[in-house]
Amino acid sequence: MYIVCLDLEGVLVPEIWIAFAEASGIPELKRTTRDEPDYEKLMNWRLGILKEHKLGLKEIQETIAKIDPLPGAKDFLDELRSITQVIIISDTFTQFASPLMQKLGWPTIFCNSLEVAESGEITGFKMRIADSKLSTVKALQSIGYDTIASGDSYNDLGMIKAGKVGFLFKSTDKIKADNPQLPAYETYEELMAAIKQAII
């Protein structure tokens, strides 16, 4: 039995932090897991910038409300879910993901949660599990699933390499060059064909 595990940001929706960096005029917030492999280090750095600028959850959610899935993402996901089980495994947070899941037709997502003060300040974050993407894939394999995984960033490499097959999607030149053994695709059509071939 197969289950497809997909990253969210950069694969199905634009990068939330890049969109917020542009909306807030704070270019430092454009740094993502494509640039920084250590997610907890990256998030603590982001929270420091938010505190410095007195920005909280409300401002980020206002930006997220204006974000639409990448062109073709919902159709891709709908077709994929018609042929196999799909889970989105993301290092984002439930407080960010819900409006995007609505626009994608409510697929299953495993992600993390933010700690938010009554004032709206984001005071911390709670990771669902250590190394959540790889841990989740290993757990799925332990209950009898063959996993197929795809993502674009450093924090996706574990789950991509651990599965029956794995693909980079819309990744950076550096990540592709550092992982030449991983097939890399740029369009949903290419990714769908590769997944179907793996399942058959």
Side-chain angles (χ1 to χ4, degrees):
M1 291 187 64
Y2 286 97
I3 192 159
V4 175
C5 302
L6 296 174
D7 179 33
L8 177 65
E9 293 178 66
V11 173
L12 297 170
V13 303
E15 293 279 354
I16 290 167
W17 287 98
I18 290 177
F20 185 64
E22 290 168 353
S24 63
I26 305 170
E28 303 95 296
L29 288 174
K30 288 187 178 181
R31 189 167 177 79
T32 71
T33 49
R34 290 175 165 209
D35 312 298
E36 173 54 68
D38 185 330
Y39 187 75
E40 294 202 28
K41 178 180 172 185
L42 177 64
M43 267 309 297
N44 282 316
W45 180 77
R46 286 168 170 165
L47 294 187
I49 292 174
L50 293 178
K51 188 177 182 71
E52 180 187 329
H53 290 270
K54 296 183 170 50
L55 295 168
L57 180 60
K58 176 175 168 285
E59 289 81 8
I60 299 174
Q61 286 179 327
E62 285 170 356
T63 296
I64 293 170
K66 299 170 190 167
I67 295 176
D68 287 321
L70 293 170
K74 185 175 185 301
D75 290 342
F76 164 78
L77 200 53
D78 287 347
E79 182 180 351
L80 190 57
R81 290 166 72 194
S82 76
I83 59 175
T84 189
Q85 298 295 309
V86 181
I87 297 176
I88 297 169
I89 307 175
S90 174
D91 278 337
T92 194
F93 305 95
T94 53
Q95 294 94 332
F96 291 178
S98 290
L100 298 168
M101 293 306 98
Q102 183 176 9
K103 292 178 180 179
L104 285 169
W106 296 111
T108 299
I109 183 169
F110 294 172
C111 60
N112 305 306
S113 59
L114 292 168
E115 295 166 350
V116 184
E118 284 186 22
S119 65
E121 179 189 348
I122 301 170
T123 55
F125 55 96
K126 185 169 173 42
M127 302 299 281
R128 184 172 50 83
I129 190 172
D131 203 358
S132 64
K133 296 185 181 192
L134 177 58
S135 299
T136 301
V137 160
K138 285 183 173 176
L140 291 167
Q141 291 166 348
S142 77
I143 56 171
Y145 284 100
D146 284 322
T147 60
I148 298 170
S150 187
D152 68 322
S153 296
Y154 284 107
N155 63 337
D156 300 313
L157 292 174
M159 74 169 181
I160 291 171
K161 291 176 180 177
K164 179 131 185 169
V165 289
F167 312 107
L168 291 170
F169 186 68
K170 296 182 183 289
S171 193
T172 66
D173 290 340
K174 172 139 185 25
I175 292 173
K176 288 188 278 193
D178 289 347
N179 298 274
Q181 79 281 18
L182 296 177
Y185 301 113
E186 296 299 321
T187 70
Y188 292 119
E189 291 76 15
E190 291 171 329
L191 184 58
M192 180 65 76
I195 292 171
K196 284 182 176 176
Q197 187 173 14
I199 290 173
I200 296 165

